[in-house]
Amino acid sequence: MSILLNKNYKHIDSMCTLEKINFVYSFTKSSFKNHRVIVEIGTFFGAITQALRLSIENDKVKIITCDFFRWDDDKQKKYPNKGYKYGDDFSKEVINNLSHLSNVEIYKTDFTNLKINEKIDLMFVDAPKRNKYVIDFINIFSKFWIANHTKILFEDYNQFFSYELPATLHPINHHFKFYSDKSGIVVGEVKSNEFLNHELKKMNIREWSKNEIIKNWNEIINTGDNKKYLEKDISIFMHLFDNGFIEEAKKYAKEKKINFEKYSIKQKFVKRYIDTKKQKKHKKFINLIKKNKILRKINSKIKFFLKI
Ligand SMILES: C[S@@+](CC[C@H](N)C(=O)[O-])C[C@H]1O[C@@H](n2cnc3c(N)ncnc32)[C@H](O)[C@@H]1O
């Protein structure tokens, strides 16, 4: 089902491929009959917002979408000819892009400040990928999900460099049914949203030990269709490295014969994991955090002892 055939379709620039836009369009069209509320995080120019809106003929459905709408390096790289400068607000263009559609509420905000007070039928998530934001995302929105009904569409879930999204969701994986579309979008069907405290606590992937990282990644890779899209060994390497187990990460890479050349086209990857100067800085930073944590613990013990 192609969105291009919809009579109300208009071209909107997008960071998503047409394949992804079409998947969102046809998935929403075929899988939902009684929608009321759809929430999108990361509007950008509004291409997915349009796909969500056009897929539903029912005029009562409401689409809530949010973004900072602030021009940055990433946007400039992808759209160098738009004429925006770093920090510019581009929300006017988005409001105009979506002006042919009814019941679309556009909010210029960080998703952590989005005010939701009704149950959500469907979400499209194209922003939170780092550990902290994925935790925020779950804490904020999961209470509005409906068990055995709400569906979450994740963009970039399988992107090699951002391993944090699948890892953070691992402790609550069993509350979802996950599968991937060939376009790369991952669907998470909510089976239950009553997460236990210890599961939520485990979502802090920075607290995972070396053994937990390896054990959990052996499970993450078997979740949904992850095996087809994610690479376990490089994910374990990055995760060990980012948790401060730098020597173990190097040893693991050697053992598994990780071919770093394959990943060296990714500048961000090289900067973070291969550039030795940066590595030294990272090591210092991790040691400082560890020292600070110990200092904080000692401080609070002294305060407790002195009853301050
Ligand atoms: C990859 S783009 C979205 C692309 C969009 N789906 C499309 O069709 O082109 C991700 C967007 O998320 C926004 N974003 C990033 N972090 C956010 C946050 N914490 N809250 C709201 N929006 C955020 C960015 O400003 C960016 O426009």
Side-chain angles (χ1 to χ4, degrees):
M1 228 180 295
S2 172
I3 193 171
L4 304 180
L5 300 173
N6 188 299
K7 65 180 187 320
N8 293 318
Y9 168 82
K10 75 175 194 190
H11 173 79
I12 298 175
D13 286 333
S14 179
M15 292 205 202
C16 295
T17 58
L18 180 61
E19 198 189 3
K20 286 184 180 180
I21 296 173
N22 269 333
F23 171 70
V24 171
Y25 178 67
S26 48
F27 177 87
T28 315
K29 210 174 182 43
S30 60
S31 61
F32 280 89
K33 300 287 168 246
N34 301 313
H35 291 67
R36 286 189 51 250
V37 180
I38 298 180
V39 176
E40 178 190 29
I41 306 177
T43 326
F44 189 47
F45 282 132
I48 291 286
T49 326
Q50 170 176 247
L52 291 165
R53 188 66 196 86
L54 291 184
S55 65
I56 298 159
E57 277 145 34
N58 170 3
D59 219 29
K60 288 193 186 81
V61 73
K62 178 163 72 179
I63 317 256
I64 299 168
T65 185
C66 72
D67 200 303
F68 304 127
F69 300 120
R70 205 174 41 233
W71 205 250
D72 56 29
D73 288 341
D74 190 35
K75 298 177 175 77
Q76 182 60 22
K77 239 184 255 163
K78 287 176 182 141
Y79 288 94
N81 302 321
K82 276 280 178 185
Y84 292 114
K85 292 189 302 301
Y86 187 90
D88 277 358
D89 175 352
F90 61 97
S91 60
K92 272 200 187 127
E93 177 169 344
V94 182
I95 292 168
N96 183 47
N97 285 347
L98 299 173
S99 59
H100 61 305
L101 303 169
S102 60
N103 288 354
V104 177
E105 297 179 8
I106 306 166
Y107 294 94
K108 180 173 158 47
T109 178
D110 187 314
F111 77 83
T112 55
N113 294 323
L114 191 66
K115 300 275 174 285
I116 298 284
N117 44 28
E118 51 210 320
K119 294 288 181 193
I120 301 172
D121 299 293
L122 174 72
M123 292 194 79
F124 185 85
V125 183
D126 196 358
K129 285 155 200 152
R130 303 303 302 262
N131 183 225
K132 174 190 172 313
Y133 289 110
V134 181
I135 293 173
D136 284 344
F137 163 73
I138 294 294
N139 285 336
I140 294 168
F141 295 104
S142 62
K143 47 183 166 299
F144 300 107
W145 296 343
I146 306 160
N148 295 314
H149 171 80
T150 303
K151 297 191 173 52
I152 325 285
L153 302 179
F154 292 98
E155 161 62 338
D156 277 351
Y157 173 103
N158 287 319
Q159 210 186 38
F160 132 77
F161 193 65
S162 43
Y163 69 88
E164 296 184 28
L165 175 56
T168 310
L169 292 178
H170 172 259
I172 54 167
N173 260 354
H174 51 288
H175 293 277
F176 298 88
K177 180 183 170 203
F178 283 111
Y179 50 94
S180 306
D181 173 63
K182 61 181 183 335
S183 68
I185 287 182
V186 170
V187 182
E189 294 183 359
V190 178
K191 294 292 156 204
S192 102
N193 53 346
E194 288 177 8
F195 307 130
L196 302 173
N197 275 340
H198 73 90
E199 295 171 343
L200 295 170
K201 233 172 138 193
K202 276 285 168 208
M203 285 174 59
N204 181 353
I205 63 168
R206 293 292 160 242
E207 297 281 322
W208 293 5
S209 67
K210 184 193 155 205
N211 288 341
E212 273 176 313
I213 293 174
I214 296 175
K215 175 185 161 285
N216 289 347
W217 271 100
N218 278 312
E219 293 166 8
I220 296 168
I221 204 68
N222 287 311
T223 300
D225 298 315
N226 284 352
K227 220 179 242 157
K228 271 196 233 161
Y229 301 93
L230 283 173
E231 290 181 49
K232 187 181 82 177
D233 287 343
I234 194 70
S235 303
I236 291 179
F237 166 80
M238 291 188 286
H239 200 152
L240 285 171
F241 188 100
D242 291 339
N243 278 25
F245 303 118
I246 294 172
E247 291 315 312
E248 287 87 343
K250 285 182 187 165
K251 205 171 133 210
Y252 186 83
K254 233 186 203 170
E255 242 174 61
K256 298 290 172 185
K257 299 191 174 64
I258 293 179
N259 175 11
F260 284 103
E261 236 168 71
K262 180 173 154 194
Y263 307 107
S264 59
I265 36 160
K266 276 259 179 195
Q267 249 183 356
K268 276 189 198 163
F269 180 82
V270 175
K271 253 193 191 169
R272 185 163 182 85
Y273 301 103
I274 301 186
D275 185 337
T276 48
K277 265 191 222 150
K278 286 261 160 47
Q279 280 189 15
K280 274 187 193 146
K281 262 192 193 166
H282 181 71
K283 206 171 180 179
K284 266 192 192 162
F285 182 65
I286 294 278
N287 284 339
L288 201 73
I289 290 179
K290 279 187 182 158
K291 253 189 215 160
N292 270 342
K293 264 193 185 166
I294 295 168
L295 277 179
R296 254 185 272 139
K297 266 191 194 158
I298 295 173
N299 258 343
S300 67
K301 278 202 176 140
I302 293 174
K303 276 186 182 166
F304 179 75
F305 185 69
L306 295 174
K307 301 218 168 8
I308 303 175

